[in-house]
Amino acid sequence: MGIFPIIVLAIVVAPLFGEAPWPDVEWGFSQPDFALMFSEYTVFGVGMPPLMMFLTAIPTVLAAYIVLFGDVLQSKALLEEADEKRRDEKIDYNPNRAHMIFGGRNFGMSIFGPDVVMCGPLWAAMHVVTVERYKQGKAAMNSIFGGSGSFRWGTNTGLLLLPIVSLVEPILGIALALTLLIQGYVSVRIGIMEARSQRDLGIAGIIAAMLVIKGATWAFAVGILLCALIYGRRFFSGEVDKTFVKDWEEASVPSADPEPRVPLQK
């Protein structure tokens, strides 16, 4: 679907160039150590952290929410693109509902299985390749939910099969880099298209530079300061200077859906 071919290629190419060892394939089923996770990672084994840790984490929480909000916008934009291509299925995406779903999931995981890697709202690389396949038509993917479900069932099944785990284990770092490349590419594209003015682009560029040089806390503070200085009383609304074609279309074309769509839920 997009990720699988490059993973398979990395398994062969990485050892040839000395970036990773050849995989030592083992047979059987993997055995996750749930007892270790329960005793050394969860609040039941480690206990609750001191109150000061919650206070010192506030800047990180705020910065993380900005990233999370970007993922929500990215998910919404990608699904809207797919919705325009596929007229046979109406994708009902509600950002508020999405907040509630992954908020509840993260709350449960924070107690029973704290895994920082899994605490984002979506796996962007998976979401991108699924949507791109979905946009190819009904023959390629019958439903966006069937495609996403198949992907997740496939990866979760792979985690339990030791031959698959041992095959990809040597190139996990490369796989992460590939995932970040896909996510970075899509994030930049969606981020630029979501901007509504040249000032938005300028602020975003400076925030990105500060994020790389100084980290999330500095980037978050600089972003707020720039928005306050540049937009003033329009801090929350910003401006639309019609730099992008989408803004002209929104202003001139009435919102209508001439073609009937099959409802997702009855």
Side-chain angles (χ1 to χ4, degrees):
M1 292 180 64
I3 290 182
F4 180 73
I6 57 179
I7 295 295
V8 173
L9 190 64
I11 294 174
V12 177
V13 173
L16 291 176
F17 286 87
E19 294 292 333
W22 289 100
D24 183 14
V25 179
E26 303 177 31
W27 300 96
F29 297 95
S30 61
Q31 299 178 351
D33 197 341
F34 292 109
L36 178 67
M37 183 189 71
F38 188 83
S39 62
E40 296 191 16
Y41 283 85
T42 67
V43 294
F44 304 104
V46 179
M48 291 293 292
L51 178 61
M52 183 55 64
M53 179 175 289
F54 289 97
L55 296 177
T56 55
I58 290 176
T60 305
V61 170
L62 296 175
Y65 183 77
I66 297 299
V67 177
L68 180 151
F69 189 73
D71 267 8
V72 172
L73 289 178
Q74 176 179 299
S75 178
K76 183 174 183 293
L78 290 172
L79 290 175
E80 285 178 349
E81 290 180 6
D83 202 30
E84 290 297 319
K85 292 281 186 180
R86 291 285 298 270
R87 315 299 294 183
D88 58 293
E89 180 179 61
K90 175 64 178 176
I91 302 177
D92 181 19
Y93 178 79
N94 187 315
N96 294 325
R97 181 175 58 209
H99 271 77
M100 297 297 293
I101 290 173
F102 57 71
R105 179 202 64 183
N106 286 355
F107 177 76
M109 287 183 65
S110 67
I111 298 174
F112 298 104
D115 186 350
V116 177
V117 178
M118 297 295 292
C119 286
L122 81 160
W123 177 13
M126 180 276 291
H127 187 61
V128 169
V129 297
T130 302
V131 169
E132 289 300 317
R133 181 68 174 269
Y134 174 75
K135 287 160 63 175
Q136 294 176 14
K138 199 175 184 67
M141 184 181 294
N142 185 57
S143 170
I144 187 70
F145 294 97
S148 300
S150 299
F151 200 111
R152 293 313 298 162
W153 276 106
T155 52
N156 290 337
T157 303
L159 292 174
L160 299 176
L161 300 178
L162 200 54
I164 296 179
V165 173
S166 57
L167 182 67
V168 300
E169 187 174 9
I171 55 99
L172 286 179
I174 299 172
L176 175 61
L178 293 171
T179 300
L180 292 176
L181 284 172
I182 296 173
Q183 180 161 349
Y185 170 81
V186 176
S187 295
V188 171
R189 181 175 70 86
I190 297 298
I192 290 176
M193 293 307 300
E194 286 296 312
R196 297 182 298 172
S197 68
Q198 295 183 25
R199 287 193 176 101
D200 281 356
L201 293 178
I203 294 172
I206 295 176
I207 291 174
M210 293 302 298
L211 182 64
V212 172
I213 298 172
K214 291 291 189 178
T217 303
W218 274 88
F220 183 72
V222 168
I224 292 178
L225 181 61
L226 284 175
C227 288
L229 291 175
I230 293 175
Y231 290 129
R233 287 182 294 180
R234 295 180 298 167
F235 181 87
F236 292 102
S237 60
E239 67 174 0
V240 178
D241 64 2
K242 297 183 180 179
T243 295
F244 297 95
V245 176
K246 64 180 179 63
D247 297 319
W248 285 95
E249 292 176 347
E250 290 175 0
S252 59
V253 179
S255 59
D257 192 358
E259 299 183 29
R261 231 85 71 85
V262 178
L264 185 63
Q265 297 177 348
K266 295 183 179 180

